[in-house]
Amino acid sequence: MTGISTHVLDTSIGRPAEGVPVELALHTEGGWKVLGASATDSDGRAKDLPAVEAGSVVRLLFDTAAYYAARSDETPFFPEVSIVFTVAPAQHHYHVPLLLNPFGYSVYRGS
């Protein structure tokens, strides 16, 4: 089994993005199966997502609309961010940070 964690930083304010709902789902023949959900803590981290099997294709779905709704009356340009990746057999843990701002985002495989 491979652990999954994430970290969201709001680059528009230079701080962790607290309270971003995030969902972890597994790709199956029938579509996406939700494995677990969390929200980022005061440090912008979601550490309590479930582990997944090696070789799986998984999705992290960030509800950025909920995050921005708590901070502004404006509708966000990206209401959600979906990150899909394959879990390699030799990996024990994946950390997938999201750098977020109102009009863009970037993601990478962290350590």
Side-chain angles (χ1 to χ4, degrees):
M1 298 297 280
T2 301
I4 306 290
S5 63
T6 189
H7 188 190
V8 183
L9 299 172
D10 186 334
T11 59
S12 68
I13 59 173
R15 299 192 43 80
E18 181 178 4
V20 179
V22 58
E23 176 184 280
L24 177 66
L26 173 70
H27 189 263
T28 68
E29 288 184 17
W32 292 103
K33 177 184 175 187
V34 176
L35 300 176
S38 185
T40 56
D41 61 18
S42 61
D43 196 31
R45 297 178 185 275
K47 304 177 215 174
D48 57 349
L49 295 169
V52 298
E53 289 189 39
S56 300
V57 174
V58 296
R59 176 184 71 194
L60 285 171
L61 183 64
F62 298 87
D63 185 352
T64 53
Y67 171 72
Y68 284 117
R71 286 149 186 80
S72 171
D73 291 334
E74 291 187 36
T75 302
F77 187 70
F78 294 106
E80 67 180 25
V81 174
S82 176
I83 302 166
V84 178
F85 58 98
T86 303
V87 178
Q91 297 298 311
H92 297 291
H93 185 83
Y94 278 105
H95 184 64
V96 185
L98 172 66
L99 306 177
L100 181 64
N101 70 66
F103 299 103
Y105 62 89
S106 178
V107 64
Y108 62 97
R109 179 180 162 196
S111 56

